[in-house]
Amino acid sequence: MRTTVPAGGRASPRHLERLDAVAYGQWQETLRSLHDESALHLHLPPQGQPGLRCDGSASPVIALDLDSTVFPLIDAVASIPGNEDFSMSEVSHWDYLIGRFGGIAPMMELLEAAMHPDRSLHVAPYAGCREVLTEIIEAHNARLVVMTDRPLRCVGHTREYLDHHDLPYSAILCGRMSDKITISRLLGARTIIDDRPSTLEAAHAAGMATLTLAHPYNASVRSELGIAPADDWNQLAPALAAALAA
């Protein structure tokens, strides 16, 4: 059966099947339907690549954000000349960067410069990220979908970053997602790791196990939803393991 998603990436409730309990081939087909019928770009690594889980019919699925969850985006921005004094501590709310850099267009130009391999490959993932994800995937035979709102043209940069730092993943979805939670659930994910306050709220409301690294701009929503603070990936690991074992 081919599972499809309407253009724009928004799935209707009738598409929300438990795809974590189906064969890997059908899961791949669902991913490809997202690519074919929406504004998302899909990258599937070659069979046998480390981190690609395809040998279990009931593998749990993790939806993983990239920027400020795996990739320290603000550190990369601070490495650009003229921004050396910039740090995560001043990002007090989600839209802070728009004001800080004079609007959406100049902000995006700066962020894309930070994401470019010439700069990003020199910025290591958050401490413990690779080790925790690798151990969790092996222990739970999990599938890991990197889901990022980066522009479509950044998918190559994203893949290069993950591969360069030996980060495990089963697939990458890159592009503007109108409904990240619905897409995550469509792919069988019941666990999400993200930093955006609105995504955390939506995931929690949908009954997903909702995890995040602690940043100033998501402090209030973490408190409101009762999400345990995790200052690094080693602190996040127990909650992630518990979510997959549930």
Side-chain angles (χ1 to χ4, degrees), residues 6 11 27 41 101 126 160 169 198 216 228 235:
W27 189 75
H41 184 96
F101 297 112
Y126 285 110
E160 189 171 353
Y169 61 94
S198 60
Q235 291 184 11

Side-chain angles (χ1 to χ4, degrees), residues 84-103:
E84 292 87 351
D85 62 341
F86 187 43
S87 71
M88 180 65 82
S89 63
E90 67 179 272
V91 187
S92 57
H93 57 89
W94 183 255
D95 293 328
Y96 176 84
L97 297 184
I98 297 175
R100 172 70 155 74
F101 297 112

Side-chain angles (χ1 to χ4, degrees), residues 146-168:
V146 175
M147 301 179 67
T148 174
D149 282 325
R150 288 182 174 191
L152 292 175
R153 58 185 172 274
C154 293
V155 68
H157 301 345
T158 301
R159 177 189 54 76
E160 189 171 353
Y161 181 82
L162 295 171
D163 292 346
H164 179 79
H165 290 286
D166 197 26
L167 288 157

Side-chain angles (χ1 to χ4, degrees), residues 178-237:
S178 59
D179 192 342
K180 183 183 266 191
I181 303 309
T182 297
I183 293 172
S184 299
R185 294 176 65 199
L186 174 67
L187 293 172
R190 296 298 179 267
T191 301
I192 188 167
I193 311 172
D194 208 294
D195 67 306
R196 184 192 293 256
S198 60
T199 301
L200 299 177
E201 290 174 329
H204 186 269
M208 299 182 73
T210 307
L211 308 176
T212 187
L213 292 181
H215 296 308
Y217 53 82
N218 61 30
S220 61
V221 72
R222 282 188 284 110
S223 176
E224 177 186 341
L225 300 179
I227 300 173
D231 293 325
D232 57 40
W233 272 87
N234 290 319
Q235 291 184 11
L236 191 68

Side-chain angles (χ1 to χ4, degrees), residues 110-140:
L110 190 69
L111 293 183
E112 287 194 41
M115 297 169 188
H116 194 278
D118 288 348
R119 189 169 305 279
S120 67
L121 295 187
H122 302 289
V123 179
Y126 285 110
C129 176
R130 180 178 62 82
E131 294 80 5
V132 168
L133 288 176
T134 300
E135 181 177 342
I136 287 287
I137 285 173
E138 291 298 325
H140 296 271

